[in-house]
Amino acid sequence: MSDLDLWPIGNCQVSGLIDKRGGLVWGCIPRVDGDPAFCALLNGDNQDAGVWRFELDGQISATQEYIRNTPILVTRLKAADGSVVEVLDFCPRYEGKGRMYRPVAIGRIIRPIAGNPRIKVILRPMKNYGAKLAEMTNGTNHIRYLVGDQGLRLSTDAPVGYIMEGRTFRIEGDTHFFLGPDEPFVGNLREEIRRMEQSTRSYWQQWVRGLATPFEWQDEVIRCAITLKLCQHEETGAIVAALTTSIPEHDGSERNWDYRFCWIRDSYYTVQALNRLGALDVLEKYLGYLRNIVDGAKGGQIQPLYSVMGESELDETTAAYLAGYRGMGPVRKGNAAYKQIQHDCYGQIVLPTVQGFVDKRLLRLADDTDFANLEEVGEMAWKMHDQPDAGLWEFRTRQEVHTYSAVMSWAACDRLAGTAEYLGKDDRAQLWRERADAIRDTIEGSAWVEGSSDGGAGHYKASFETDYLDASLLQMIDLRFLRPDDPRFQSTFAAIEKELRRGEHMLRYATEDDFGAPETAFNVCTFWLIEALHLAGRSEEARGLFETMLGHRTGSGMLSEDLDWKTGELWGNFPQTYSLVGIINCAGLLSKPWSEVR
């Protein structure tokens, strides 16, 4: 049965998920939102199609680990007779000839470690979202798979006939596989794949070397940072919310969404977390993506999400030939949320973009033209701050004026005021400060619920129209709308904790939505709870909850979107950038300072 004990590999162009048996069970061509040639993860009981696996004859166990500070995976398979092989998986990424080499390719090296291992290579990519197996043709040392317009080519020094016929054979030396573009492999296969792996290893270890990690939980933070970077489509700078589609939020929920797109909101949190670690390369690429989005909007409405190539229309359909995760369809491609109105996105564009005006480390500093363009985004935040939207939780059947969206609009105006002041544009600073103050007054008048006559404290509510709570109100601190010691935040936090906390986990909201009442905790909200506990002076409790959440990670150090607070099982798309951001932010907040190193 499929589960989310998966190991991401990638190179910021293509990515894959390796299961605990060492099989490539998810991978899309030619990029993260493309056709899943490897789709066994969503293929129900049919685990021999849409997969690339090495089956060790008599296998009894498998262990896995990443090479330190890289996304290069080593899987060790052991057989009952004592035979052992290691499989090394990577996607090439390194600088050469003045550019970054990151092909649509996966390299695999299988090595005999002990005994006389015999293996079978199961390589069966599919096409058209699981409609059929890809057709094969072959040459002397390669196999062509007709996937997509150009296809894939496997170059190998293993016996091609054995692979095509699915035969088991003895492996007596290092054997190399390169699945990439349908073009001849240049150079000596053995030497080139080894060189690629070494260069890829060096690239990632040098990248990690530049991170400003907290003193505690360094391994956890580094693994999250690497994976967040893998979620960026470097060609355009877009950052996807997750690498998968249609992993349900809980058993049989039909809350199956395609997350292989760039949400303005999710990307804001991702670059914020990586920026705290000093990973400016991700921010710089993403700012370029945002500039293209803003240019395309021409001062108008910004969508909540776009494709990694900046496409605006992401029509939602279902893949008829895939049964879904554990048979729990539907499998969706595209996401109708692109049609929604979500006013928080204006703040989430402004907040990361203003760094481009003040951070002297950046290769390209923003200029007056960029500020004028950003003001157009601010105009939309000002115009829409008190208008109904679907909210950050993307309700499909109702609209309200959501407090989180209004606070994000306030933040947009507040940061524009600060940036204008920094740039010496005093008249613009005054305008944006006045607008920020006006939005604050609106929020205070419409989102605050006064305390009851029996002594109950007042609190902010999730929307202007209705008196319910959601976890996004905890973000009022991070957005600098309130200070942690503000009595209004403290009473709001108390109300949220009472209403939404389930033991060691947090719901995003408890009221019924389009699909009924939530049945799983939302992992990033639990991290927001941890942050709030620390800021409220309950740091030991916060550390305890943080360690609990770390204990729910997969072997690869990942979290998905949701978690069953009763069983601890992970649900939802994987790996979820929101959840990894939560690990980075909480580690930075809770860690002892480096000055305490003895």
Side-chain angles (χ1 to χ4, degrees):
M1 182 174 68
S2 297
D3 60 33
L4 295 181
D5 192 3
L6 303 168
W7 298 71
I9 61 173
N11 62 6
C12 304
Q13 172 66 39
V14 69
S15 58
L17 297 176
I18 309 293
D19 72 4
K20 57 191 174 186
R21 296 167 55 194
L24 176 62
V25 296
W26 185 256
C28 301
I29 303 296
R31 56 180 185 260
V32 65
D33 60 354
D35 189 1
F38 298 97
C39 54
L41 181 65
L42 300 185
N43 212 13
D45 294 332
N46 186 6
Q47 293 296 290
D48 287 332
V51 68
W52 184 6
R53 175 176 290 116
F54 300 106
E55 292 190 351
L56 176 64
D57 196 22
Q59 180 179 324
I60 58 172
S61 68
T63 58
Q64 292 169 296
E65 64 179 350
Y66 284 116
I67 292 176
R68 192 174 76 89
N69 293 354
T70 78
I72 301 173
L73 177 63
V74 178
T75 302
R76 176 171 283 220
L77 307 176
K78 183 176 181 180
D81 66 0
S83 297
V84 177
V85 297
E86 279 188 351
V87 182
L88 186 147
D89 289 314
F90 71 102
C91 295
R93 178 179 173 83
Y94 50 88
E95 190 168 349
K97 298 180 180 179
R99 60 183 177 86
M100 188 63 67
Y101 179 66
R102 42 174 169 75
V104 181
I106 296 173
R108 310 191 81 175
I109 303 172
I110 183 165
R111 296 177 171 132
I113 302 299
N116 300 297
R118 291 168 53 80
I119 67 164
K120 180 192 295 184
V121 181
I122 307 296
L123 177 50
R124 295 173 182 159
M126 305 192 80
K127 61 191 302 182
N128 299 332
Y129 279 80
K132 59 181 179 179
L133 288 170
E135 298 89 344
M136 289 189 298
T137 62
N138 71 288
T140 304
N141 296 302
H142 73 266
I143 304 173
R144 297 177 65 243
Y145 297 91
L146 303 182
V147 178
D149 296 332
Q150 297 181 338
L152 295 172
R153 178 183 296 227
L154 176 72
S155 300
T156 182
D157 48 16
V160 168
Y162 287 164
I163 298 172
M164 295 190 68
E165 296 179 16
R167 294 183 179 275
T168 301
F169 61 95
R170 179 178 289 193
I171 177 170
E172 297 182 328
D174 289 7
T175 308
H176 305 80
F177 301 81
F178 185 83
L179 185 67
D182 186 15
E183 56 192 38
F185 190 94
V186 178
N188 180 287
L189 182 75
R190 177 188 182 93
E191 293 178 0
E192 281 300 301
I193 291 182
R194 290 186 171 191
R195 183 188 64 80
M196 287 180 183
E197 188 274 324
Q198 289 295 322
S199 297
T200 300
R201 182 186 305 206
S202 177
Y203 167 82
W204 284 105
Q205 291 178 341
Q206 288 297 317
W207 185 79
V208 167
R209 190 169 177 263
L211 296 179
T213 59
F215 171 42
E216 296 182 88
W217 304 293
Q218 290 182 59
D219 290 336
E220 293 85 347
V221 168
I222 287 170
R223 182 54 50 200
C224 290
I226 288 173
T227 308
L228 288 178
K229 183 170 174 63
L230 292 182
C231 288
Q232 182 169 57
H233 185 69
E234 189 171 66
E235 181 181 358
T236 62
I239 301 169
V240 297
L243 298 179
T244 58
T245 177
S246 302
I247 309 297
E249 292 183 12
H250 60 81
D251 190 352
S253 69
E254 295 193 11
R255 299 173 187 254
N256 301 12
W257 313 118
D258 192 346
Y259 276 10
R260 300 171 300 158
F261 304 111
C262 183
W263 267 260
I264 302 299
R265 174 180 55 255
D266 299 52
S267 299
Y268 155 69
Y269 282 107
T270 297
V271 297
Q272 180 195 52
L274 289 177
N275 190 48
R276 287 169 174 164
L277 300 178
L280 287 183
D281 56 334
V282 177
L283 172 66
E284 284 185 311
K285 287 286 186 180
Y286 180 62
L287 290 181
Y289 179 80
L290 281 185
R291 285 192 288 269
N292 281 312
I293 294 298
V294 171
D295 288 349
K298 296 180 171 60
Q301 179 184 319
I302 300 291
Q303 293 180 189
L305 69 152
Y306 296 83
S307 82
V308 296
M309 300 303 292
E311 297 167 301
S312 58
E313 295 187 9
L314 308 172
D315 293 333
E316 186 176 301
T317 60
T318 58
Y321 300 101
L322 292 175
Y325 179 75
R326 300 183 184 173
M328 299 176 192
V331 172
R332 291 188 169 92
K333 47 182 177 176
N335 198 307
Y338 83 90
K339 299 178 181 178
Q340 290 187 350
I341 306 298
Q342 295 179 29
H343 299 318
D344 55 323
C345 64
Y346 302 111
Q348 287 144 0
I349 288 177
V350 171
L351 267 60
T353 303
V354 295
Q355 184 173 343
F357 296 92
V358 300
D359 193 333
K360 299 298 179 64
R361 297 172 297 172
L362 295 172
L363 295 174
R364 179 194 181 277
L365 281 173
D367 56 24
D368 287 346
T369 300
D370 294 316
F371 186 76
N373 291 337
L374 196 59
E375 283 192 296
E376 292 184 359
V377 179
E379 290 288 347
M380 289 298 294
W382 166 245
K383 180 181 177 181
M384 298 297 178
H385 74 273
D386 58 355
Q387 298 301 303
D389 70 356
L392 82 162
W393 307 126
E394 299 180 349
F395 298 119
R396 293 197 169 199
T397 60
R398 70 174 190 261
Q399 289 195 346
E400 298 173 332
V401 181
H402 289 92
T403 304
Y404 176 84
S405 297
V407 172
M408 265 294 179
S409 295
W410 169 85
C413 296
D414 175 76
R415 304 313 193 268
L416 281 169
T419 304
E421 183 176 349
Y422 176 84
L423 296 174
K425 301 177 184 292
D426 294 341
D427 57 333
R428 305 309 295 171
Q430 181 178 351
L431 171 71
W432 290 112
R433 180 60 58 208
E434 290 172 352
R435 288 179 171 180
D437 291 344
I439 295 175
R440 176 181 284 277
D441 290 342
T442 299
I443 294 170
E444 299 290 6
S446 300
W448 177 257
V449 179
E450 293 292 348
S452 60
S453 58
D454 61 0
H459 62 82
Y460 289 97
K461 53 184 182 173
S463 80
F464 289 7
E465 292 89 345
T466 53
D467 189 14
Y468 76 97
L469 293 162
D470 82 34
S472 69
L473 296 168
L474 298 177
Q475 289 292 283
M476 296 173 112
I477 298 299
D478 192 65
L479 293 171
R480 305 205 303 260
F481 188 83
L482 294 175
R483 293 175 55 85
D485 57 358
D486 191 316
R488 293 169 300 173
F489 174 72
Q490 295 174 0
S491 61
T492 299
F493 175 36
I496 290 172
E497 189 174 14
K498 179 180 179 181
E499 179 75 14
L500 302 182
R501 185 168 175 176
R502 299 293 185 272
E504 296 177 309
H505 305 284
M506 179 74 89
L507 305 181
R508 48 187 162 176
Y509 48 81
T511 56
E512 289 197 1
D513 60 16
D514 317 333
F515 291 82
E519 296 185 27
T520 50
F522 205 68
N523 287 328
V524 73
C525 295
T526 302
F527 289 116
W528 291 349
L529 167 65
I530 292 168
E531 292 174 5
L533 287 170
H534 173 73
L535 294 172
R538 296 158 63 183
S539 295
E540 286 305 311
E541 183 180 359
R543 288 177 68 93
L545 289 187
F546 185 52
E547 291 289 356
T548 296
M549 285 301 294
L550 293 179
H552 288 298
R553 293 173 305 144
T554 63
S556 61
M558 303 293 109
L559 287 170
S560 61
E561 182 180 46
D562 306 277
L563 186 147
D564 187 320
W565 70 81
K566 301 183 186 76
T567 67
E569 185 173 10
L570 293 175
W571 291 91
N573 281 303
F574 180 92
Q576 177 72 13
T577 54
Y578 259 161
S579 302
L580 305 187
V581 163
I583 292 174
I584 291 173
N585 288 345
C586 286
L589 192 66
L590 298 173
S591 174
K592 298 174 183 177
W594 278 94
S595 60
E596 293 191 14
V597 178
R598 296 292 185 264

